[in-house]
Amino acid sequence: MRPSLLRVLDGEVISPPPVWLMRQAGRYLPEYQAVRADAGSFLDLCYCPEKAAEVTLQPVRRFDMDCAILFSDILVIPDALGQPVRFEAGQGPLLEPMSLDRVGALKRDNVLDHLAPVFETVRQVREELARGKALIGFCGAPWTVATYMIAGKGTPDQRPARVAALADPQGFQALIDVLVEASADYLVAQIEAGVDAVQIFDSWAGVLDDDLFARWAMAPVRALVAKVRGRCPQARIILFAKGCGARLATYAATSGADGFGIDWTMPLSLARKQTDKALQGNLDPLRLILGGEALARGVDAILADMAGHPHVFNLGHGIQPDTPPDHVAQLMRRVRDSGSR
Amino acid sequence: MRPSLLRVLDGEVISPPPVWLMRQAGRYLPEYQAVRADAGSFLDLCYCPEKAAEVTLQPVRRFDMDCAILFSDILVIPDALGQPVRFEAGQGPLLEPMSLDRVGALKRDNVLDHLAPVFETVRQVREELARGKALIGFCGAPWTVATYMIAGKGTPDQRPARVAALADPQGFQALIDVLVEASADYLVAQIEAGVDAVQIFDSWAGVLDDDLFARWAMAPVRALVAKVRGRCPQARIILFAKGCGARLATYAATSGADGFGIDWTMPLSLARKQTDKALQGNLDPLRLILGGEALARGVDAILADMAGHPHVFNLGHGIQPDTPPDHVAQLMRRVRDSGSR
């Protein structure tokens, strides 16, 4: 049976909608913590197929999620290109900041070899995952990955990359071109290894003005989607451009993606007026931390807003580490029971 | 002659549009630094009418801005309510975080006395400022001020206040009620002292989901605007709800404000389709740091997008401290010359 996620991405309305949660495999789960404790660094875990497959499957087993999402990180791409990434406890990712004159030194030929363990993870997950459930692969959008490569970390508004893009458009284009190519190869290899759909995370597209958004967020995503579709015509692609809900009509019409993740600050009642395509989201992760009435009210509002529109239930941002797993179970019951209310 | 800002807020289209810049009085100006060096703490400067009036007028003198904006800070309200605020060099504001059970202990009767120096600043500025130029007063929106009172500082997404609002709506309402009342008194006193218009800064409205936005951002702003208008029927009010462009149609129709500030991430071409009212913005402050072609291109795009719509030229966020003053002069020339291009 075709997984419900793919049917929704084809345009079908399913009630109750399929559910998965961004960062559903992660620190809030004790069984994840147990694997993580023995796994070395965070990237060691991403590159260990047995362990990465195990943590990918954990939330599906515990909560009967409709989809698994590959356990990995958007910054494996710079890591594969020869800009090493590390994760310190309690901080975000750290890289040696790269200036644009170093783009030529990136190791473009090494990407798929470096990421071979990820594709092995996909194969192992796909073997264990029920056929009716979708496995989602992913990558970061070129703009978002570039912001980390240039700043070396997350910053409040990714100013270093914005300045670089404004000050040296040619140099920035060279970096974006490398990222489009590497990301396309990476997504195609994930699809060939067995993922059913892919999501492109443009977590930092929302800090750009109109001109920069068109040039550095949307044009590269459009190129990436076109390259993936050129090699995998059946690919199902979700784009999550955080903080860009006001522009949804534009990029839904031009990006080439099949579905669109919406962050929790954009009303779905407004989003659905902008496109007939599938929408995914958008519960505030804080409601999942609080549980109870705050959670129930948030879930119900989303289901009401999206009735009759192709919809994948999700958070509007990743699960926070201090989320009680019981609240995720409460969310699943609330969504699943909605079909019979 | 009625200042151009007020004519635009009345709905008139003026070309070239009036210009002012958020944080135009501030650290990027050497003449500000000179006053600041002798002024004690940042709040000492806000509460010294002679010095505050001087720095308010500096950018108008240097750049011939169409408006002056009162030099102050949105957090004088908690300071006046008995929750002291301090500013450490290189950090944002710091307060002792307040729990919701302490709302009853706020000193509600002391606000206007505590803020008397601000009204004296207004009188002094209005005396020196040319009649054709508008003096803008301001306050923070109740939600935004509450986020600082609860967290004690700025955080990436003001999670502490969002959690408090979800977990204890009654306690949070009590805090919001105090802030609506104090802010209304504060704006009315500014207007009575001589400001021509006021701006309400809802800098953190953009982190809220649909339900919380309606309840904690828009309802208090609507109450605040109604209170101010009830006592000053001619008041001209601008609302700057950062990160909320997608919802502009809703709050333009219901907030009661006359004009709306738009941040740099929301295309003005989309904003103007949502309301006939005056719009203010929205140049990316980074373009002002870079100057040259990046600045010229940004200015021209905004002027083109807003042709024929009531428009106040501004940044989409405050001036950054490392902005070269010469670039502000370049901006002024570019906007003013647009009338003759």
Side-chain angles (χ1 to χ4, degrees), chain B residues 139-142 179-181 183-185 187-188 191 198-201 217-240 251-252 254-260 277:
Chain B
C139 71
L179 290 171
V180 168
E181 198 68 40
S183 305
D185 290 346
L187 290 184
V188 167
I191 293 167
V198 292
Q199 177 155 320
I200 300 168
F201 286 87
M218 276 310 115
V221 162
R222 198 158 53 235
L224 172 56
V225 169
K227 275 180 195 287
V228 172
R229 272 202 208 294
R231 291 158 66 187
C232 307
Q234 301 307 318
R236 284 289 167 266
I237 303 173
I238 305 167
L239 171 62
F240 179 52
Y251 65 82
T254 62
S255 63
D258 304 291
F260 299 90
K277 295 196 177 174

Short mmCIF file of all heavy atoms in Angstrom, two decimals, chain B residues 139-142 179-181 183-185 187-188 191 198-201 217-240 251-252 254-260 277:
data_model
loop_
_atom_site.label_atom_id
_atom_site.label_comp_id
_atom_site.label_asym_id
_atom_site.label_seq_id
_atom_site.Cartn_x
_atom_site.Cartn_y
_atom_site.Cartn_z
N CYS B 139 6.18 53.13 22.60
CA CYS B 139 6.28 52.20 23.72
C CYS B 139 6.38 50.80 23.13
O CYS B 139 6.20 50.60 21.93
CB CYS B 139 5.05 52.30 24.63
SG CYS B 139 3.54 51.64 23.93
N GLY B 140 6.71 49.84 23.98
CA GLY B 140 6.66 48.44 23.55
C GLY B 140 5.23 47.94 23.66
O GLY B 140 4.45 48.42 24.49
N ALA B 141 4.87 46.98 22.82
CA ALA B 141 3.55 46.35 22.97
C ALA B 141 3.54 45.53 24.25
O ALA B 141 4.58 45.04 24.70
CB ALA B 141 3.26 45.46 21.76
N PRO B 142 2.38 45.37 24.86
CA PRO B 142 2.31 44.61 26.11
C PRO B 142 2.96 43.22 26.02
O PRO B 142 3.72 42.83 26.91
CB PRO B 142 0.79 44.52 26.36
CG PRO B 142 0.26 45.80 25.76
CD PRO B 142 1.09 46.00 24.52
N LEU B 179 0.12 46.08 31.94
CA LEU B 179 0.93 46.70 30.88
C LEU B 179 0.09 47.54 29.93
O LEU B 179 0.53 48.60 29.46
CB LEU B 179 1.71 45.62 30.12
CG LEU B 179 2.84 44.98 30.94
CD1 LEU B 179 3.42 43.77 30.21
CD2 LEU B 179 3.93 46.01 31.24
N VAL B 180 -1.11 47.09 29.62
CA VAL B 180 -2.00 47.88 28.76
C VAL B 180 -2.28 49.22 29.42
O VAL B 180 -2.18 50.29 28.78
CB VAL B 180 -3.31 47.12 28.46
CG1 VAL B 180 -4.34 48.05 27.82
CG2 VAL B 180 -3.04 45.91 27.57
N GLU B 181 -2.62 49.18 30.69
CA GLU B 181 -2.96 50.39 31.43
C GLU B 181 -1.77 51.35 31.49
O GLU B 181 -1.88 52.54 31.16
CB GLU B 181 -3.35 49.97 32.86
CG GLU B 181 -4.13 51.01 33.61
CD GLU B 181 -5.52 51.22 33.04
OE1 GLU B 181 -6.17 50.22 32.66
OE2 GLU B 181 -5.93 52.39 32.94
N SER B 183 0.93 51.42 29.66
CA SER B 183 1.37 51.86 28.34
C SER B 183 0.44 52.92 27.78
O SER B 183 0.89 53.87 27.12
CB SER B 183 1.45 50.67 27.38
OG SER B 183 2.28 49.65 27.91
N ALA B 184 -0.85 52.78 28.03
CA ALA B 184 -1.81 53.79 27.57
C ALA B 184 -1.53 55.12 28.26
O ALA B 184 -1.47 56.17 27.61
CB ALA B 184 -3.24 53.33 27.84
N ASP B 185 -1.36 55.08 29.60
CA ASP B 185 -1.03 56.32 30.32
C ASP B 185 0.25 56.94 29.76
O ASP B 185 0.34 58.17 29.60
CB ASP B 185 -0.81 56.01 31.81
CG ASP B 185 -2.11 55.65 32.52
OD1 ASP B 185 -3.19 55.88 31.94
OD2 ASP B 185 -2.02 55.12 33.64
N LEU B 187 1.68 56.58 26.71
CA LEU B 187 1.53 57.16 25.37
C LEU B 187 0.70 58.45 25.41
O LEU B 187 1.04 59.43 24.73
CB LEU B 187 0.88 56.15 24.41
CG LEU B 187 1.74 54.95 24.01
CD1 LEU B 187 0.98 54.08 23.00
CD2 LEU B 187 3.10 55.36 23.45
N VAL B 188 -0.35 58.46 26.18
CA VAL B 188 -1.18 59.67 26.28
C VAL B 188 -0.34 60.83 26.83
O VAL B 188 -0.41 61.96 26.31
CB VAL B 188 -2.42 59.41 27.16
CG1 VAL B 188 -3.11 60.73 27.53
CG2 VAL B 188 -3.40 58.49 26.43
N ILE B 191 1.85 62.13 24.15
CA ILE B 191 1.08 62.94 23.18
C ILE B 191 0.77 64.31 23.78
O ILE B 191 0.92 65.34 23.12
CB ILE B 191 -0.21 62.19 22.78
CG1 ILE B 191 0.14 60.93 21.98
CG2 ILE B 191 -1.14 63.10 21.97
CD1 ILE B 191 -1.01 59.95 21.78
N VAL B 198 2.70 58.15 17.61
CA VAL B 198 3.37 57.16 18.45
C VAL B 198 3.50 55.85 17.68
O VAL B 198 2.68 55.53 16.83
CB VAL B 198 2.60 56.91 19.77
CG1 VAL B 198 2.66 58.15 20.67
CG2 VAL B 198 1.18 56.47 19.52
N GLN B 199 4.57 55.14 18.01
CA GLN B 199 4.75 53.81 17.42
C GLN B 199 4.76 52.78 18.55
O GLN B 199 5.41 52.97 19.58
CB GLN B 199 6.06 53.74 16.62
CG GLN B 199 6.34 52.34 16.05
CD GLN B 199 7.22 52.35 14.81
OE1 GLN B 199 7.09 53.22 13.94
NE2 GLN B 199 8.12 51.39 14.71
N ILE B 200 4.03 51.70 18.32
CA ILE B 200 4.01 50.57 19.26
C ILE B 200 4.89 49.47 18.67
O ILE B 200 4.64 49.00 17.56
CB ILE B 200 2.57 50.05 19.46
CG1 ILE B 200 1.68 51.17 20.03
CG2 ILE B 200 2.56 48.82 20.36
CD1 ILE B 200 0.18 50.84 19.99
N PHE B 201 5.94 49.10 19.41
CA PHE B 201 6.88 48.09 18.93
C PHE B 201 6.48 46.72 19.48
O PHE B 201 6.64 46.47 20.68
CB PHE B 201 8.31 48.40 19.39
CG PHE B 201 8.96 49.55 18.67
CD1 PHE B 201 8.78 50.86 19.11
CD2 PHE B 201 9.75 49.32 17.55
CE1 PHE B 201 9.41 51.92 18.44
CE2 PHE B 201 10.37 50.38 16.88
CZ PHE B 201 10.20 51.68 17.32
N ALA B 217 -0.90 39.01 21.64
CA ALA B 217 -0.32 40.12 20.89
C ALA B 217 -1.42 41.09 20.46
O ALA B 217 -1.42 42.26 20.83
CB ALA B 217 0.48 39.62 19.70
N MET B 218 -2.40 40.61 19.70
CA MET B 218 -3.34 41.55 19.08
C MET B 218 -4.39 42.10 20.04
O MET B 218 -4.69 43.30 20.00
CB MET B 218 -3.99 40.94 17.85
CG MET B 218 -3.15 41.10 16.62
SD MET B 218 -2.55 42.83 16.33
CE MET B 218 -0.78 42.59 16.55
N ALA B 219 -4.96 41.27 20.88
CA ALA B 219 -5.99 41.79 21.78
C ALA B 219 -5.44 42.91 22.68
O ALA B 219 -6.07 43.97 22.81
CB ALA B 219 -6.62 40.67 22.60
N PRO B 220 -4.26 42.74 23.29
CA PRO B 220 -3.73 43.84 24.10
C PRO B 220 -3.39 45.10 23.29
O PRO B 220 -3.61 46.22 23.76
CB PRO B 220 -2.45 43.25 24.71
CG PRO B 220 -2.62 41.77 24.65
CD PRO B 220 -3.47 41.51 23.45
N VAL B 221 -2.88 44.92 22.07
CA VAL B 221 -2.59 46.09 21.24
C VAL B 221 -3.89 46.82 20.91
O VAL B 221 -3.97 48.05 20.96
CB VAL B 221 -1.83 45.69 19.96
CG1 VAL B 221 -1.91 46.80 18.91
CG2 VAL B 221 -0.37 45.38 20.30
N ARG B 222 -4.92 46.05 20.57
CA ARG B 222 -6.21 46.67 20.25
C ARG B 222 -6.74 47.45 21.45
O ARG B 222 -7.21 48.58 21.32
CB ARG B 222 -7.19 45.57 19.83
CG ARG B 222 -8.40 46.05 19.07
CD ARG B 222 -9.02 44.94 18.23
NE ARG B 222 -9.31 43.76 19.03
CZ ARG B 222 -8.85 42.54 18.76
NH1 ARG B 222 -8.11 42.31 17.69
NH2 ARG B 222 -9.16 41.53 19.53
N ALA B 223 -6.60 46.87 22.64
CA ALA B 223 -7.06 47.55 23.86
C ALA B 223 -6.24 48.82 24.10
O ALA B 223 -6.79 49.86 24.47
CB ALA B 223 -6.94 46.60 25.05
N LEU B 224 -4.94 48.72 23.88
CA LEU B 224 -4.06 49.88 24.07
C LEU B 224 -4.42 51.00 23.09
O LEU B 224 -4.56 52.17 23.48
CB LEU B 224 -2.60 49.42 23.89
CG LEU B 224 -1.51 50.49 23.86
CD1 LEU B 224 -1.54 51.36 25.11
CD2 LEU B 224 -0.13 49.82 23.72
N VAL B 225 -4.57 50.65 21.83
CA VAL B 225 -4.92 51.66 20.82
C VAL B 225 -6.27 52.30 21.17
O VAL B 225 -6.42 53.53 21.11
CB VAL B 225 -4.97 51.03 19.41
CG1 VAL B 225 -5.59 51.99 18.39
CG2 VAL B 225 -3.57 50.61 18.97
N ALA B 226 -7.22 51.50 21.58
CA ALA B 226 -8.55 52.04 21.90
C ALA B 226 -8.48 53.01 23.08
O ALA B 226 -9.12 54.06 23.08
CB ALA B 226 -9.52 50.90 22.20
N LYS B 227 -7.69 52.66 24.09
CA LYS B 227 -7.54 53.54 25.26
C LYS B 227 -6.90 54.86 24.85
O LYS B 227 -7.33 55.94 25.29
CB LYS B 227 -6.68 52.87 26.34
CG LYS B 227 -7.46 51.94 27.26
CD LYS B 227 -6.53 51.32 28.30
CE LYS B 227 -7.19 50.13 28.98
NZ LYS B 227 -8.26 50.55 29.92
N VAL B 228 -5.86 54.79 24.05
CA VAL B 228 -5.18 56.02 23.64
C VAL B 228 -6.13 56.89 22.81
O VAL B 228 -6.26 58.10 23.03
CB VAL B 228 -3.89 55.69 22.85
CG1 VAL B 228 -3.29 56.96 22.24
CG2 VAL B 228 -2.88 54.98 23.76
N ARG B 229 -6.83 56.28 21.87
CA ARG B 229 -7.77 57.05 21.03
C ARG B 229 -8.93 57.61 21.83
O ARG B 229 -9.44 58.68 21.52
CB ARG B 229 -8.34 56.14 19.94
CG ARG B 229 -7.49 56.14 18.73
CD ARG B 229 -8.29 55.72 17.50
NE ARG B 229 -7.34 55.11 16.57
CZ ARG B 229 -6.36 55.78 15.99
NH1 ARG B 229 -6.18 57.06 16.22
NH2 ARG B 229 -5.54 55.17 15.16
N GLY B 230 -9.34 56.87 22.84
CA GLY B 230 -10.44 57.35 23.68
C GLY B 230 -10.07 58.67 24.34
O GLY B 230 -10.92 59.54 24.52
N ARG B 231 -8.81 58.83 24.67
CA ARG B 231 -8.38 60.05 25.37
C ARG B 231 -7.76 61.07 24.41
O ARG B 231 -7.71 62.26 24.72
CB ARG B 231 -7.41 59.68 26.49
CG ARG B 231 -8.15 58.91 27.62
CD ARG B 231 -7.24 58.06 28.48
NE ARG B 231 -6.30 58.86 29.24
CZ ARG B 231 -5.30 58.32 29.97
NH1 ARG B 231 -5.12 57.00 30.02
NH2 ARG B 231 -4.49 59.10 30.64
N CYS B 232 -7.24 60.62 23.29
CA CYS B 232 -6.62 61.52 22.29
C CYS B 232 -7.17 61.11 20.92
O CYS B 232 -6.50 60.38 20.17
CB CYS B 232 -5.10 61.38 22.27
SG CYS B 232 -4.30 61.58 23.86
N PRO B 233 -8.36 61.57 20.57
CA PRO B 233 -9.00 61.09 19.34
C PRO B 233 -8.17 61.34 18.08
O PRO B 233 -8.29 60.61 17.10
CB PRO B 233 -10.31 61.89 19.29
CG PRO B 233 -10.57 62.30 20.71
CD PRO B 233 -9.22 62.50 21.33
N GLN B 234 -7.30 62.37 18.12
CA GLN B 234 -6.52 62.69 16.91
C GLN B 234 -5.20 61.93 16.85
O GLN B 234 -4.39 62.17 15.95
CB GLN B 234 -6.23 64.19 16.86
CG GLN B 234 -7.48 65.06 16.84
CD GLN B 234 -8.42 64.65 15.74
OE1 GLN B 234 -8.00 64.36 14.63
NE2 GLN B 234 -9.71 64.57 16.05
N ALA B 235 -4.95 61.06 17.80
CA ALA B 235 -3.66 60.37 17.84
C ALA B 235 -3.39 59.62 16.54
O ALA B 235 -4.29 59.02 15.96
CB ALA B 235 -3.64 59.38 19.01
N ARG B 236 -2.15 59.68 16.09
CA ARG B 236 -1.73 58.88 14.93
C ARG B 236 -0.82 57.79 15.46
O ARG B 236 0.17 58.06 16.16
CB ARG B 236 -0.99 59.76 13.91
CG ARG B 236 -1.92 60.63 13.10
CD ARG B 236 -2.74 59.79 12.11
NE ARG B 236 -3.85 60.52 11.53
CZ ARG B 236 -5.09 60.49 12.00
NH1 ARG B 236 -5.39 59.79 13.08
NH2 ARG B 236 -6.06 61.15 11.40
N ILE B 237 -1.16 56.55 15.11
CA ILE B 237 -0.53 55.39 15.75
C ILE B 237 0.01 54.44 14.69
O ILE B 237 -0.71 54.05 13.76
CB ILE B 237 -1.54 54.66 16.65
CG1 ILE B 237 -2.12 55.64 17.70
CG2 ILE B 237 -0.91 53.44 17.32
CD1 ILE B 237 -3.26 55.07 18.53
N ILE B 238 1.29 54.08 14.85
CA ILE B 238 1.94 53.10 13.96
C ILE B 238 2.18 51.83 14.77
O ILE B 238 2.64 51.91 15.91
CB ILE B 238 3.29 53.63 13.45
CG1 ILE B 238 3.12 55.00 12.76
CG2 ILE B 238 3.96 52.62 12.51
CD1 ILE B 238 4.46 55.72 12.52
N LEU B 239 1.90 50.70 14.18
CA LEU B 239 2.18 49.42 14.85
C LEU B 239 3.26 48.69 14.06
O LEU B 239 3.13 48.49 12.85
CB LEU B 239 0.90 48.57 14.89
CG LEU B 239 1.06 47.13 15.36
CD1 LEU B 239 1.59 47.06 16.80
CD2 LEU B 239 -0.27 46.37 15.25
N PHE B 240 4.33 48.32 14.77
CA PHE B 240 5.40 47.53 14.13
C PHE B 240 5.41 46.16 14.80
O PHE B 240 5.97 45.98 15.87
CB PHE B 240 6.74 48.23 14.30
CG PHE B 240 7.90 47.47 13.70
CD1 PHE B 240 7.87 47.03 12.39
CD2 PHE B 240 9.05 47.20 14.45
CE1 PHE B 240 8.95 46.33 11.83
CE2 PHE B 240 10.13 46.51 13.90
CZ PHE B 240 10.06 46.07 12.58
N TYR B 251 -4.49 42.14 11.15
CA TYR B 251 -4.31 43.15 12.19
C TYR B 251 -4.40 44.57 11.66
O TYR B 251 -4.70 45.49 12.42
CB TYR B 251 -3.07 42.89 13.05
CG TYR B 251 -1.71 42.96 12.42
CD1 TYR B 251 -1.06 44.18 12.24
CD2 TYR B 251 -1.03 41.81 12.08
CE1 TYR B 251 0.21 44.24 11.70
CE2 TYR B 251 0.25 41.85 11.54
CZ TYR B 251 0.86 43.08 11.35
OH TYR B 251 2.11 43.13 10.82
N ALA B 252 -4.21 44.76 10.36
CA ALA B 252 -4.48 46.09 9.80
C ALA B 252 -5.96 46.42 9.93
O ALA B 252 -6.35 47.56 10.20
CB ALA B 252 -4.04 46.17 8.34
N THR B 254 -8.05 45.19 12.21
CA THR B 254 -8.65 45.10 13.55
C THR B 254 -7.90 45.85 14.65
O THR B 254 -8.46 46.08 15.71
CB THR B 254 -8.77 43.63 14.00
OG1 THR B 254 -7.45 43.06 14.09
CG2 THR B 254 -9.60 42.82 13.02
N SER B 255 -6.63 46.21 14.43
CA SER B 255 -5.85 46.76 15.54
C SER B 255 -6.23 48.20 15.85
O SER B 255 -5.99 48.68 16.95
CB SER B 255 -4.36 46.71 15.21
OG SER B 255 -4.09 47.52 14.08
N GLY B 256 -6.77 48.90 14.87
CA GLY B 256 -7.09 50.30 15.07
C GLY B 256 -5.95 51.26 14.78
O GLY B 256 -6.12 52.47 14.88
N ALA B 257 -4.77 50.74 14.42
CA ALA B 257 -3.64 51.62 14.11
C ALA B 257 -3.81 52.25 12.72
O ALA B 257 -4.59 51.76 11.89
CB ALA B 257 -2.33 50.84 14.19
N ASP B 258 -3.04 53.34 12.49
CA ASP B 258 -3.14 54.07 11.22
C ASP B 258 -2.12 53.62 10.19
O ASP B 258 -2.30 53.81 8.99
CB ASP B 258 -2.92 55.56 11.47
CG ASP B 258 -3.88 56.11 12.48
OD1 ASP B 258 -5.08 56.19 12.16
OD2 ASP B 258 -3.44 56.43 13.61
N GLY B 259 -1.01 53.08 10.68
CA GLY B 259 0.05 52.67 9.77
C GLY B 259 0.78 51.48 10.37
O GLY B 259 0.70 51.23 11.58
N PHE B 260 1.52 50.77 9.50
CA PHE B 260 2.09 49.51 9.92
C PHE B 260 3.54 49.39 9.46
O PHE B 260 3.83 49.49 8.27
CB PHE B 260 1.24 48.35 9.36
CG PHE B 260 -0.16 48.43 9.91
CD1 PHE B 260 -1.13 49.16 9.23
CD2 PHE B 260 -0.47 47.89 11.14
CE1 PHE B 260 -2.41 49.32 9.77
CE2 PHE B 260 -1.74 48.04 11.69
CZ PHE B 260 -2.71 48.76 11.00
N LYS B 277 -3.94 50.84 4.10
CA LYS B 277 -3.38 51.79 5.05
C LYS B 277 -1.90 52.03 4.80
O LYS B 277 -1.25 51.30 4.03
CB LYS B 277 -3.63 51.27 6.47
CG LYS B 277 -5.12 51.23 6.81
CD LYS B 277 -5.35 51.10 8.30
CE LYS B 277 -6.86 51.12 8.58
NZ LYS B 277 -7.14 50.85 9.99
#
